[in-house]
Amino acid sequence: VSDLPSHADPEASPAWEPPALRVLASGSAGNCSVLEAGPAGDRRLCLIDAGLSPRKTRRLLEEMGRSLDQVEDVVVTHLDHDHFHAGWATALPGRALLRLHRRHLGRAERSGLLHRRTEPFDCAPGGSFHVQGLDAAFSPMLASHDSLGVAAFRIEFAALGSSLGFATDVGRVPVRLIEHLAGVDVLAIESNYCPDMQASSGRPEYLKRRIMDGSGHLSNQQCLDAVHEIRPREHVVLLHLSRQCNRPELVAELHAGADYALTISTQDQPTRWVKLPFRASVNTTAAARFEPVQRGLFA
Ligand SMILES: [Zn+2]
């Protein structure tokens, strides 16, 4: 209870600003996105994937006037090195939890990535988890990617009436994934490769197959088809463009004339902040954020 901030009184708590997403980097050399929510002056962050080193992540956050101390939780889609940098196993900020799918626990343990504040999630109905400081409910869904799969998320800010979908490294887009993400306000989704560029890339055949066989990555067209079916309401953020087998101009052309705004993330330059809408008139209180809870497997 000593945790409770002085503004825990709902009457006194400041109004929340719209949540926002910013992709720090995306691509096979490292993926990290920041989701931010909370009242002005007390914004909290959640990292979705942490594939950049802690040092680089800290620097990028500082360059945008944020700090690692604001990070509530680190949520990872899967444990490939471009989505979770080994440095985080010992450098998780403050009281943050490392949240990963239960299926990835064994791999995390074998690879020495299991932080003592690891909190596994699963995808059973109702298996959602709440990132407290952001007042955000994450509903994960396991999609196909290599042998262990990858978690895609529908993230709801119930009190604000807004939602975000996040899907990367999904080998294909089954109907249940479309249903899971249907109608979100902002959709972040991978648009990994152009099939023609992939075919003529000179990459070894096994690698091309691994990427294109339904358990690797989405092509630009598969991404576009998924976007059409998911029907995001406002904004699409494209993730994980292949440096070798894709070009941003090509992708922009595919989405030209769409009725949503488009942001294309890159490996080297953070995107701008993409704001989620703010529908509810509710003045969410910050009080719930500080309820003491048992945090982590080994807390
Ligand atoms: Zn990846």
Side-chain angles (χ1 to χ4, degrees), residues 126-162:
S128 64
F129 58 89
H130 196 242
V131 174
Q132 289 227 337
L134 283 78
D135 198 14
F138 281 62
S139 303
M141 202 201 101
L142 199 68
S144 76
H145 183 68
D146 295 337
S147 56
L148 290 175
V150 61
F153 301 98
R154 184 184 185 101
I155 303 157
E156 296 275 356
F157 294 87
L160 310 178
S162 52

Side-chain angles (χ1 to χ4, degrees), residues 29-107:
N31 295 271
C32 181
S33 297
V34 187
L35 183 58
E36 174 178 89
D42 191 17
R43 300 283 274 176
R44 301 301 177 86
L45 312 177
C46 170
L47 301 185
I48 306 177
D49 282 339
L52 303 175
S53 69
R55 177 198 295 246
K56 181 160 189 190
T57 308
R58 170 181 288 121
R59 179 174 62 73
L60 290 173
L61 286 176
E62 283 172 358
E63 283 172 8
M64 52 188 72
R66 310 298 194 277
S67 117
L68 269 184
D69 298 335
Q70 291 171 270
V71 174
E72 286 277 312
D73 286 346
V74 175
V75 178
V76 298
T77 58
H78 64 309
L79 289 172
D80 285 354
H81 65 88
D82 57 324
H83 295 262
F84 190 68
H85 188 285
W88 289 104
T90 52
L92 216 61
R95 64 200 285 279
L97 293 175
L98 172 61
R99 296 186 181 270
L100 47 83
H101 195 281
R102 196 171 294 281
R103 281 189 74 174
H104 296 144
L105 277 178
R107 178 176 174 186

